């Protein structure tokens, strides 16, 4: 009995020791690696967080320094550019005086230099001028004027290397280092240059960078810094290089002075690169100092120190909390590991304990223990599981593949759901929110855990009536979907519009089990729509309604007047000579003038009046429901009265007039377009009659415009159908009474009748059709010269050239091509230009005339004495002939002095003189007595066709002419 007890106790001890060993082994295998991993992870996490915090503060410091440098560079560049542009306009104005002959080039440059020299940029900045060779034209240092900066002996060429960039770029902003003779180290400077090509001047406005304090508005930069924040209480500060506080959001002006020494000591060892330091600081309202972190950086060229500071407890607060949480998690994990090891060891020891009991049962049964029973047991169990695995292998493989596919699809759907740009809500059939995506949180402000379980009514804005939601649910239950615009409310109470789409999800029994909603915010879209709508119907500059709005309102008003009666007046206002304002002062000043004009017009509007801007300098004032015509004249006088006061542009007084056209309803139009067109016609008539006046529309204006339109279309058709012909009138030598040359004159054979040139030439000159007519006359004349050459009766032919055609850029090339195409000798072609054409843009006229004269063409000045000629310019022109206008020949007794003067000028300049409009023998004899060389007029021949003039020339060649035609 005692032996049996001892054996039983021994077996129990064996079973207990086996369990403990398994427990200890599991505990060591689990807890030791876990502790090592947690320790390394904790160290890495703390180090990484600390580094991230410091790098974030350094990045914030660099960002605000870059912001200030960018603001300074932009401000200085814009300031220097404005000074350069203003002085460029000054140079251009003096160059215009040079071109007009008011000043010589040397006097103009001296005047500009006298203005440039005293100008200062900052304290020591100045203006200097180079040319393309690097030679100084203007400089405060007189000894440098006229010398090449690239060859100055006082400095090395390296100090002047930026001059090469100036000569190459000529315009733009440039930074460089500059060393004065008395400086030990070079100083950073900046300049902005602009180029004036007529004088080859590179105008440079320069200033040392350390003087930017004078140019830059640092108060604006301080305000911008005050808006900067880092975290909850971090802020930016700014000092100058003397340690004086320039910007601090928590210190008053007096406190800045009190804290200067404390902050100056803190920044005493600042370097160029960003640094991070820890220090103690006590704010004015704090009882005790607090630990803070500071990252700062110097900007040497501006003499500034910029810093970003924050409290340590705020910056590292998350780090301290993270440490505590990680330590607690480590302890909890250790405890869980001990428990897991205990239960795992019990589970692993249980089969061995059963094996020990089996040994005990074998002993009780009288059988001797031989070992191996536990192995037999495990083999049997393994055999059973192996057999089971063989039977279910195919089924498991199929199920695994299916689950993998399902998981892949679920991952794809989840990625789409999470990353969709539209907000997504999924609810159950009762409307309880089951899931939302990240876009939902971004738009509404509700986090997922705040929305899940709630009803979408948390977004309700109370902006829609019950009928709105009743129709929505009717659509959902009937169609299974709803789509439309709805106003909702964000978490912070902000109302916003959204475009919402809701769809029902049904099961196999057609029962609704879920609702799926997608939405996106359309606030910006609606804002853009309003802006687009405003831009479509308003002028961007003056914010006045535009032409489209005028037509809409006028159409609506006219409809009301037809139904209920009443009168309406439309004032079409156009500023006189507005183009000159843009040319002299620039378009930006022209825009400023238009703003001032619109404000003055708005000040005289009555309750029934509306003001519109159609474009450029055109305004329309609409007056509705006026009682009598006196109100029309009163309004027109008011418009002119508000313009009499001067306008201020760049501190200069500018005076502006306006021409006004007025149309009335009923009478002057039935539609908005007709009313605007009638007022426009009246305005143009006011322009033609001297400007600065108002005129009411009359039906004759429309008839006149229609006649011009009819003739213009007729000219186009006539050119297409070859209705135009060229007639020729001879010019006769007074002494020999023989033809010396011909003049080509265009005629319009319209339906068998010749249309007078006075009817269609002015209209052709108002459009581009005069170019086609002149080209037709030139081509026909060149062909006729070829015909005369074949008949051996060739004489020079003169062709009248319109001002528009003469000043075309390709006119010289066109004439050259015609001479080459028709093989015409240039000496037989003479170009007639009027005195006005010759004096318009004289330099350009001289350039064209000399090019054509070099080709061999002749020139004559037509209608001489009717314009304002400069004899100095006329002497420079390669002119062969002066033509005395017919108005002087008609009454030689009254105009004899003028004719004698013209002939005397011609003799002095060795020019031929032709008198136009000679119709009597008395006129011819008197002109001969005066010394006139040639005559042209009906006394010899009217303008005739090509065939008739050929017969005329052949008859003259065969014998002396005895009769005139």
């Amino acid at each position: 009995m005692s032996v049996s007890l001892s054996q039983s106790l021994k077996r129990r001890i064996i079973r207990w020791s086996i369990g403990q060993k398994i427990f200890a082994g599991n505990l060591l295998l689990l807890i030791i690696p876990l502790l090592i991993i947690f320790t390394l992870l904790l160290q890495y996490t703390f180090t990484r967080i600390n580094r991230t915090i410091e790098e974030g503060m350094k990045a914030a410091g660099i960002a605000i320094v870059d912001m200030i440098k960018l603001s300074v560079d932009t401000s200085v560049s814009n300031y220097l550019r404005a000074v350069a542009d203003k002085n460029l306009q000054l140079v251009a104005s003096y160059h215009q005086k040079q071109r007009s002959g008011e000043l010589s080039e040397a006097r103009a440059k001296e005047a500009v230099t006298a203005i440039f020299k005293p100008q200062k940029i900052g304290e020591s900045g100045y203006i200097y001028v180079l040319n393309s060779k690097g030679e100084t034209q203007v400089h405060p240092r007189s000894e440098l004027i006229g010398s090449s900066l690239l060859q100055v002996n006082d400095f090395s060429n390296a100090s002047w290397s930026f001059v090469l960039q100036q000569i190459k770029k000529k315009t733009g902003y440039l930074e460089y280092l500059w060393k004065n003779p008395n400086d030990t180290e070079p100083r950073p400077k900046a300049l902005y240059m602009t180029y004036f090509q007529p004088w080859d001047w590179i105008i440079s406005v320069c200033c040392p960078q350390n003087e930017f304090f004078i140019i830059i508005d640092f108060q604006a930069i301080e305000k911008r810094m005050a808006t900067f924040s880092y975290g909850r209480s971090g802020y930016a500060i700014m000092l100058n290089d003397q340690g004086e506080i320039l910007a601090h959001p928590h210190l008053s002006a007096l406190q800045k002075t009190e804290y200067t020494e404390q902050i100056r000591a803190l920044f005493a060892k600042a370097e160029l690169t960003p640094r991070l330091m820890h220090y103690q600081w006590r704010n004015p309202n704090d009882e005790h100092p607090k630990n803070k972190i500071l990252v700062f950086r110097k900007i040497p060229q501006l003499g500034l120190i910029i810093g970003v500071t924050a409290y340590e407890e705020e910056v590292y607060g998350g780090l301290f909390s993270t440490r505590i949480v990680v330590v607690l998690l480590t302890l909890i994990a250790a405890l869980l590991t001990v428990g897991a090891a205990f239960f795992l060891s019990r589970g692993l020891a249980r089969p061995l304990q059963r094996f020990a009991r089996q040994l005990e049962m074998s002993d009780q049964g009288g059988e001797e223990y031989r070992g191996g029973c536990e192995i037999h047991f495990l083999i049997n169990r393994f055999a059973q599981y192996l057999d089971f695995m063989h039977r279910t292998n195919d089924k498991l493989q199929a199920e695994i593949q299916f689950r993998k596919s399902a998981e892949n699809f679920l991952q794809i759907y989840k990625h789409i759901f999470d990353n969709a740009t539209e907000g997504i809500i999924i609810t159950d059939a009762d409307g309880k929110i089951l899931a939302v995506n990240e876009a939902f949180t971004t738009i509404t402000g509700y986090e997922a855990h705040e929305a899940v379980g709630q009803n979408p009514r948390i977004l309700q804005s109370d902006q829609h009536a019950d009928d709105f939601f009743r129709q929505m649910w009717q659509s959902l239950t009937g169609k299974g979907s709803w789509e439309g615009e709805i106003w909702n409310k964000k978490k912070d109470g902000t109302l916003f519009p959204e475009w919402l789409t809701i769809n029902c999800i049904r099961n196999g029994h057609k029962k609704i089990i879920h609702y799926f909603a997608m939405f996106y915010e359309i606030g910006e879209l609606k804002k853009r729509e309003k802006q687009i709508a405003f831009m479509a119907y308003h002028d961007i500059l003056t914010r006045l309604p535009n032409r489209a709005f005028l037509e809409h309102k006028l159409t609506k008003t006219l409809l009301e007047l037809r139904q209920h009666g009443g009168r309406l007046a439309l004032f079409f206002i156009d500023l006189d000579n507005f183009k000159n304002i843009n040319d002299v002062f620039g378009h930006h000043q022209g825009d400023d003038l238009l703003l001032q004009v619109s404000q003055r017009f708005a000040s005289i509007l009555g309750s029934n009046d509306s003001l519109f801007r159609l474009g450029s300098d055109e305004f329309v004032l609409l007056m509705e429901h006026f009682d009598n015509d006196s109100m029309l004249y009163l309004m027109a006088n008011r418009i002119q009265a508000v313009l009499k006061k001067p306008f201020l542009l760049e501190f200069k007084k500018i005076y502006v007039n306006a021409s006004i056209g007025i149309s009335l309803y009923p009478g002057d139009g039935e539609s908005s377009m007709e009313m605007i067109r009638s007022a426009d016609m009246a305005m143009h008539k006011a322009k033609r009659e001297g400007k600065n006046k108002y005129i009411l529309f009359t039906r004759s204006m429309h008839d006149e415009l229609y006649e011009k339109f009819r003739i213009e279309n007729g000219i186009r058709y006539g050119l297409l159908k070859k209705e135009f012909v060229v007639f020729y009138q001879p010019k006769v030598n007074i002494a020999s009474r023989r033809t010396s040359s011909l003049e080509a004159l265009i005629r319009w054979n319209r339906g068998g009748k010749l249309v007078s040139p006075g009817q269609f030439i002015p209209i052709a000159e108002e459009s581009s059709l005069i170019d086609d007519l002149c080209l037709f006359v030139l081509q026909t004349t060149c062909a006729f010269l070829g015909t005369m050459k074949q008949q051996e009766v060739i004489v020079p032919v003169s062709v009248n050239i319109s001002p528009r055609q003469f000043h075309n850029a390709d006119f010289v090339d066109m004439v050259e091509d015609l001479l080459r195409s028709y093989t015409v000798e240039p000496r037989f072609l003479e170009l007639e230009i009027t005195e006005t054409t010759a004096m318009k843009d004289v330099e350009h006229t001289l350039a064209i005339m000399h090019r054509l004269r070099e080709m061999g063409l002749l020139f004559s000045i037509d209608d001489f004495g009717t314009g304002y000629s400069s004899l100095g310019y006329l002497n420079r022109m390669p002119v062969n002939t002066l033509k005395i206008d017919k108005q002087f020949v008609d009454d030689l007794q009254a105009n004899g002095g003028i004719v004698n003067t013209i002939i005397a000028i011609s003799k002095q300049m060795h020019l031929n003189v032709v008198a136009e409009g000679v119709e009597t023998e008395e006129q011819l004899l008197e002109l001969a007595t005066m010394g006139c060389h040639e005559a042209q007029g009906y006394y010899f021949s009217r303008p005739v066709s090509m065939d008739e003039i050929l017969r005329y020339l052949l008859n003259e060649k065969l014998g002396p002419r005895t009769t005139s035609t």
Side-chain angles (χ1 to χ4, degrees):
M1 184 67 180
S2 60
V3 174
S4 176
L5 287 173
S6 63
Q7 290 178 349
S8 176
L9 180 59
K10 183 178 180 180
R11 292 188 183 100
R12 291 180 182 276
I13 292 172
I14 292 172
R15 291 199 301 272
W16 180 85
S17 62
I18 290 171
Q20 293 302 314
K21 289 179 180 179
I22 294 173
F23 172 74
N26 289 333
L27 187 61
L28 291 174
L29 290 173
L30 291 174
I31 200 167
I32 292 176
L34 183 65
L35 289 175
I36 294 173
I37 292 172
F38 266 89
T39 302
L40 295 175
L41 181 62
L42 183 62
Q43 179 64 26
Y44 175 79
T45 303
F46 291 166
T47 303
R48 192 66 182 172
I49 292 175
N50 188 62
R51 186 180 301 170
T52 302
I53 291 171
E54 294 181 355
E55 290 177 354
M57 288 200 68
K58 288 182 179 180
I62 294 172
I64 194 167
V65 169
D66 292 341
M67 177 193 74
I68 292 174
K69 289 185 69 177
L70 179 61
S71 299
V72 169
D73 290 343
T74 303
S75 178
V76 171
S77 176
N78 290 340
Y79 176 82
L80 296 180
R81 179 177 181 176
V83 175
D85 289 345
K86 183 176 180 180
N87 284 282
L88 178 63
Q89 293 179 5
L90 176 69
V91 173
S93 66
Y94 275 92
H95 177 255
Q96 185 64 32
K97 292 181 180 180
Q98 172 197 336
R99 293 184 61 189
S100 64
E102 183 180 346
L103 293 175
S104 65
E105 181 174 343
R107 292 293 300 277
K109 289 182 177 179
E110 288 177 4
V112 172
T113 301
I115 297 173
F116 277 7
K117 279 190 176 181
Q119 292 190 40
K120 279 196 174 184
I121 315 302
E123 290 182 352
S124 60
Y126 53 87
I127 300 176
Y128 66 93
V129 179
L130 305 177
N131 60 15
S132 298
K133 299 178 181 179
E135 296 173 348
T136 309
Q137 306 299 306
V138 179
H139 199 283
R141 292 174 57 185
S142 301
E143 66 271 19
L144 293 178
I145 296 176
S147 61
S148 175
L149 293 183
L150 298 178
Q151 300 175 357
V152 173
N153 297 323
D154 296 340
F155 306 97
S156 63
N157 286 336
S159 300
W160 298 84
S161 59
F162 69 95
V163 176
L164 295 174
Q165 300 183 45
Q166 284 189 270
I167 295 172
K168 182 178 180 181
K169 292 176 61 177
K170 290 187 176 61
T171 59
Y173 182 77
L174 183 64
E175 294 184 353
Y176 61 99
L177 292 175
W178 172 255
K179 183 178 179 183
N180 285 320
N182 300 325
D183 293 342
T184 57
E185 296 292 334
R187 295 189 299 166
K189 296 187 72 174
L191 64 83
Y192 189 91
M193 52 191 170
T194 184
Y195 185 57
F196 187 67
Q197 187 176 5
W199 288 356
D200 189 25
W201 272 21
I202 304 172
I203 303 170
S204 304
V205 181
C206 68
C207 180
Q209 292 190 20
N210 59 4
E211 295 180 12
F212 287 173
F213 278 97
I214 302 173
I215 298 175
I216 300 167
D217 185 8
F218 275 93
Q219 291 183 352
I221 295 178
E222 182 178 354
K223 291 180 181 179
R224 189 171 181 183
M225 286 182 60
T227 62
F228 176 85
S229 63
Y230 183 81
R232 289 179 300 172
S233 61
Y235 54 87
I237 59 176
M238 179 171 64
L239 285 73
N240 60 18
D241 53 3
Q242 284 79 35
E244 297 174 351
I245 304 172
L246 300 179
H248 193 296
H250 298 154
L251 298 180
S252 64
L254 180 61
Q255 291 170 340
K256 288 179 182 178
T257 306
E258 296 175 356
Y259 279 81
T260 296
E261 292 299 327
Q262 185 177 351
I263 294 182
R264 185 179 296 170
L266 188 64
F267 285 86
K269 299 180 180 180
E271 299 174 356
L272 292 178
T273 56
R275 289 189 57 198
L276 186 140
M277 64 167 59
H278 301 264
Y279 67 100
Q280 286 191 337
W281 178 266
R282 185 175 66 82
N283 284 322
N285 300 325
D286 294 340
E287 296 181 1
H288 303 288
K290 296 182 180 180
N291 294 328
K292 300 192 73 175
I293 303 176
L294 171 69
V295 63
F296 58 88
R297 187 178 185 183
K298 279 188 175 181
I299 309 178
Q301 61 270 34
L302 300 180
L304 296 177
I305 301 175
I306 308 301
V308 177
T309 181
Y311 291 103
E312 281 188 0
E313 60 183 9
E314 177 185 336
V315 175
Y316 293 111
L319 181 60
F320 298 146
S321 301
T322 304
R323 288 179 178 175
I324 296 172
V325 171
V326 172
V327 171
L328 291 176
L329 289 176
T330 303
L331 293 175
I332 293 172
L335 293 175
L336 292 176
T337 303
V338 172
F342 174 76
F343 286 106
L344 183 61
S345 62
R346 288 190 63 184
L348 292 175
R350 191 173 291 113
L352 296 176
Q353 290 173 352
R354 284 200 300 269
F355 175 68
R357 284 196 298 270
Q358 183 65 35
L359 290 177
E360 183 180 1
M361 289 174 63
S362 299
D363 290 344
Q364 291 176 358
E367 296 180 1
E368 185 179 356
Y369 173 69
R370 297 179 180 178
C373 293
E374 73 282 2
I375 296 175
H376 179 71
F377 174 76
L378 291 174
I379 290 174
N380 287 336
R381 295 297 296 171
F382 179 75
Q384 292 175 6
Y385 280 111
L386 185 61
D387 183 56
F388 175 75
M389 291 296 292
H390 280 302
R391 292 196 308 268
T392 60
N393 180 57
D394 294 338
K395 182 179 179 181
L396 287 174
Q397 290 295 330
E399 185 176 353
I400 289 171
Q401 187 64 32
F402 175 77
R403 288 185 178 183
K404 286 183 177 180
S405 299
E407 289 177 357
N408 289 335
F409 278 109
L410 286 174
Q411 289 296 326
I412 294 173
Y413 295 150
K414 184 178 184 303
H415 183 77
I416 295 172
F417 181 83
D418 291 339
N419 294 280
T421 56
E422 296 87 359
I424 299 176
I425 307 175
I426 300 176
T427 72
D428 59 14
D430 296 326
K432 184 173 68 174
I433 298 176
L434 302 178
V436 296
N437 67 345
E438 294 180 3
F440 172 88
T441 301
T442 302
I443 297 173
T444 66
Y446 287 97
E447 298 290 341
H449 68 273
E450 295 176 315
V452 172
Q454 299 291 329
N455 191 282
R457 282 192 294 271
I458 61 174
L459 303 176
Q460 189 169 331
S461 64
D462 298 327
Q463 298 293 308
H464 301 283
D466 293 339
D467 289 340
F468 177 84
F469 293 102
R470 189 178 300 110
Q471 294 175 4
M472 178 191 294
W473 285 108
Q474 288 175 356
S475 177
L476 282 172
T477 55
K479 300 179 181 178
S481 64
W482 181 87
E483 183 177 16
E485 180 182 326
I486 187 171
W487 281 84
N488 272 338
K489 181 168 64 176
K490 297 184 180 181
K491 182 180 177 180
D492 60 4
T494 304
L495 300 180
F496 69 100
E498 67 179 37
W499 189 262
L500 176 64
T501 303
I502 308 176
N503 290 282
C504 299
I505 302 176
R506 303 177 186 268
N507 59 12
H509 302 289
K510 305 298 182 181
K511 181 180 178 182
I512 297 175
I513 57 174
H514 294 97
Y515 291 101
F516 180 85
M518 295 180 62
F519 66 93
Y520 57 90
E521 190 172 357
I522 59 174
E524 285 297 324
L525 179 63
K526 294 178 73 66
K527 183 178 179 181
R528 291 194 192 97
E529 288 177 352
K530 289 182 179 179
Q531 291 175 344
I532 292 172
F534 183 85
M535 291 171 64
Y537 288 99
H538 289 79
D539 172 50
I540 301 302
L541 175 64
T542 62
R543 317 297 285 181
L544 291 175
N546 60 8
R547 179 183 289 273
F549 194 96
L550 170 63
E551 293 177 0
H552 174 75
K553 179 176 178 59
L554 192 55
T555 300
K556 182 179 178 181
T557 304
L558 290 174
L559 181 61
E560 293 176 355
L561 293 178
R562 291 190 195 99
Q563 294 175 351
H564 306 291
R567 303 180 69 191
L568 174 149
L570 197 69
F571 295 77
F572 198 111
I573 310 166
D574 187 272
L575 303 182
D576 296 332
N577 303 318
F578 180 73
K579 182 178 181 299
N580 296 338
I581 302 295
N582 280 335
D583 293 342
V584 174
F585 295 97
H587 287 275
H588 63 290
Q589 293 296 331
D591 292 343
D592 186 20
L593 177 62
L594 291 174
L595 280 172
Q596 296 183 47
V597 169
S598 65
Q599 292 167 1
R600 292 196 186 180
F601 287 164
S603 66
I604 62 173
L605 297 180
S607 58
N608 294 326
D609 305 333
S610 304
L611 182 64
F612 305 83
R613 183 188 177 213
L614 303 192
S616 185
D617 57 339
E618 295 179 343
F619 296 86
V620 166
L621 192 150
L622 178 63
M623 178 187 289
E624 303 178 46
H625 307 295
F626 62 93
D627 297 330
N628 51 61
D629 291 347
S630 63
M631 297 182 66
L632 297 177
Y633 305 115
L634 179 62
M635 177 58 74
N637 288 323
R638 284 180 179 176
I639 294 172
Q640 291 185 327
V642 297
L643 295 178
K644 288 183 179 179
K645 296 180 181 179
F647 295 88
L648 197 62
L649 293 182
E650 289 188 342
F651 307 105
K652 295 180 181 178
K653 291 183 179 180
I654 302 299
Y655 292 89
V656 177
N657 298 322
S659 299
I660 306 171
I662 307 172
S663 61
L664 303 177
Y665 179 86
D668 295 341
E670 294 297 323
S671 66
S672 60
M673 294 302 296
E674 290 178 357
M675 290 292 295
I676 296 172
R677 184 178 60 198
S678 299
D680 189 18
M681 289 183 196
M683 181 274 294
H684 279 93
K685 184 173 180 62
K687 290 273 188 186
R688 291 193 300 270
E689 292 185 1
K691 305 178 181 179
N692 191 26
K693 62 188 305 184
Y694 59 87
I695 290 181
L696 271 68
F697 173 79
T698 60
R699 181 55 56 182
S700 62
M701 297 180 191
H702 178 271
D703 296 339
E704 180 183 349
L705 183 64
Y706 177 77
E707 180 63 18
K708 287 184 178 180
F709 177 76
R710 187 182 66 82
I711 293 176
E712 182 177 337
N713 280 345
I715 294 172
R716 297 181 189 276
Y717 181 81
L719 286 169
L720 184 65
K721 297 299 182 180
K722 302 185 184 304
E723 294 180 352
F724 288 93
V725 293
V726 176
F727 280 19
Y728 300 92
Q729 187 176 29
K731 300 176 189 176
V732 177
N733 184 285
I734 296 177
S736 64
R737 300 294 180 98
R738 300 186 69 85
T739 301
S740 57
S741 61
L742 304 175
E743 181 178 1
L745 301 168
I746 191 168
R747 293 294 184 265
W748 187 5
N749 187 357
R750 190 176 189 185
K753 292 183 179 180
L754 291 179
V755 179
S756 170
Q759 295 182 14
F760 66 87
I761 290 296
I763 296 174
E765 287 179 342
E766 291 179 3
S767 63
S768 61
L769 293 174
I770 193 66
D771 295 345
D772 298 328
L773 293 178
C774 286
L775 179 60
F776 168 74
V777 175
L778 279 170
Q779 289 175 334
T780 305
T781 301
C782 289
F784 177 59
L785 284 169
T787 303
M788 284 197 294
K789 185 176 181 180
Q790 293 175 358
Q791 298 290 335
E792 297 182 352
V793 289
I794 188 168
V795 292
V797 181
S798 61
V799 177
N800 292 283
I801 304 299
S802 72
R804 178 187 176 94
Q805 181 77 355
F806 185 75
H807 290 287
N808 276 350
D810 59 348
F811 177 68
V812 176
D813 296 333
M814 181 191 73
V815 173
E816 187 175 10
D817 291 340
L818 287 174
L819 294 175
R820 187 185 305 110
S821 299
Y822 290 95
T823 62
V824 174
E825 294 184 47
R827 63 190 179 92
F828 289 109
L829 183 62
E830 184 179 45
L831 303 181
E832 286 192 14
I833 60 175
T834 63
E835 185 180 8
T836 304
T837 303
M839 292 300 115
K840 179 182 179 183
D841 195 355
V842 177
E843 296 298 331
H844 179 65
T845 301
L846 285 171
I848 295 177
M849 293 179 73
H850 281 294
R851 287 180 62 188
L852 293 169
R853 191 68 184 91
E854 289 172 359
M855 293 165 50
L857 274 75
L858 304 176
F859 280 98
S860 62
I861 302 296
D862 196 10
D863 301 335
F864 188 78
T866 60
Y868 301 93
S869 294
S870 169
L871 296 180
Y873 284 123
L874 184 63
N875 193 38
R876 294 168 57 189
M877 293 180 180
V879 177
N880 305 92
T881 303
L882 293 182
K883 297 186 71 174
I884 301 173
D885 190 72
K886 182 179 183 299
Q887 62 176 316
F888 300 125
V889 176
D890 287 343
D891 190 356
L892 283 174
Q893 291 183 354
N895 300 313
I898 297 175
V899 174
N900 277 319
T901 301
I902 295 174
I903 294 173
I905 292 172
S906 302
K907 288 181 179 179
Q908 186 67 29
M909 300 175 67
H910 306 289
L911 300 178
N912 186 39
V913 183
V914 178
E916 294 182 308
V918 176
E919 297 181 356
T920 64
E921 179 72 20
E922 291 77 9
Q923 291 175 333
L924 186 65
L925 293 175
E926 190 170 352
L927 286 169
T929 303
M930 293 178 178
C932 183
H933 304 127
E934 297 180 7
Q936 175 184 356
Y938 287 178
Y939 179 73
F940 301 104
S941 173
R942 291 177 177 271
V944 294
S945 65
M946 181 185 71
D947 294 335
E948 291 182 79
I949 201 66
L950 279 175
R951 288 196 297 270
Y952 179 91
L953 293 174
L954 287 171
N955 290 336
E956 190 178 60
K957 179 182 179 181
L958 294 175
R961 184 174 61 84
T962 57
T963 60
S964 61
T965 60

